[in-house]
Amino acid sequence: MMLQWRIFHTLCSAGREAPKSLKAGLLFPHVLSCGHRFVWHRTKTSLPDSRERTLIAVKPDGVQRRLVGQIIQRFEQRGFRLVGLKMLQASEDLLSEHYCQLRSKPFFPILLQYMTSGPVVAMVWEGHNVVKTSRTMVGHTNPAEAQAGTVRGDFSTHVSRNVVHASDSVEGAQREIHLWFQAKDLLDWDSWDQMSTSDVTTSSAS
Ligand code: UDP
Ligand code: MG
C-alpha cells in the first residue's frame, strides 16, 4: 500500500495522470483546498493508526533560544517516531500557504515577519494519535492559557512568540507535511519498542 501511494503521489506531484488500476487500489485520497492550491491527501483510513503523522516545527524564537533539543526530547520520550527533520529558512510563500486560513487576520503580516525572522526546524513525527497528543503537549496557542508542562506553558509568555507549531488535525497535518517535505525525505521505519508503546490491537482504542 505504501509503495502504491508513493507511485501515485509522485505522478500527482509531477502533474501526471495516475493509472486507473493504481487509483482503484487506493483508499479514496481526497482533496483539500487552501486558496487557489489543491493538494492530494491520503485519508486517515489509508494508514494504520500507529502511522498517523503530524508536522511539528520549532519556530525562529525556539531555535534562537536553543530549545530544539528539549522539544525533540519531549516527543521521543513520549514514544513517537521521528520520520523527517530539516532546518530551513522558510519563505514567505511557504508560510503564506502554511497559514492560509489566517490570511485575513490582522496579525498575519506580523506572523509572517516572525516566522521568516530566522531558521525553523521542521519535523514529522509519527505514532498513535500523534496529532491530538502533540497539540496537548504543545499547549494552548496563547501561552497565558497554556498549562505548565506543555512546551508553550513552559517556554513562552506571548502568543506572538510561542516557540512551536503543531498541526491541528489529521487532514491539516497531511496538507502541511506535503508543503514542507517531499515524500522521499520521510522515512518509514519501525521502532523496536513499538509493540510496547503503540501497537494497540483492541478495536475500541482511539
Ligand atoms: N498568532 C498570533 N496572534 C494571535 C493568534 C495567533 O501571533 O492572536 C500566531 C501564533 O504564532 C500562532 C499562529 O499565529 O501559533 C497560528 O495561529 P493558530 O490559531 O493556528 O494557533 P496554533 O495552531 O499555532 O496554536
Ligand atoms: Mg494552527
Side-chain angles (χ1 to χ4, degrees), residues 25-44:
L26 290 166
L27 286 173
F28 310 113
H30 61 284
V31 177
L32 283 184
S33 71
C34 210
H36 60 279
R37 194 170 157 149
F38 289 83
V39 185
W40 284 94
H41 297 284
R42 285 175 288 207
T43 56
K44 188 182 180 191

Side-chain angles (χ1 to χ4, degrees), residues 11 80 82 87 99 105:
L11 289 170
F80 294 123
L82 183 61
M87 185 178 210
Y99 284 128
K105 300 283 182 192

Side-chain angles (χ1 to χ4, degrees), residues 73-88:
Q73 187 180 17
R74 288 177 180 222
F75 284 85
E76 283 195 324
Q77 186 175 299
R78 190 70 188 250
F80 294 123
R81 273 182 306 282
L82 183 61
V83 296
L85 171 75
K86 68 176 169 188
M87 185 178 210
L88 72 161

Side-chain angles (χ1 to χ4, degrees), residues 59 99 102 107 111 114-115 135 139-141 152 159-162 164-166 168:
K59 296 179 175 183
Y99 284 128
L102 300 177
F107 59 81
L111 174 61
Y114 157 49
M115 290 296 294
R135 286 291 290 190
H140 196 282
T141 306
R152 289 166 172 170
V159 69
S160 68
R161 295 289 181 273
N162 60 5
V164 70
H165 166 82
D168 66 3

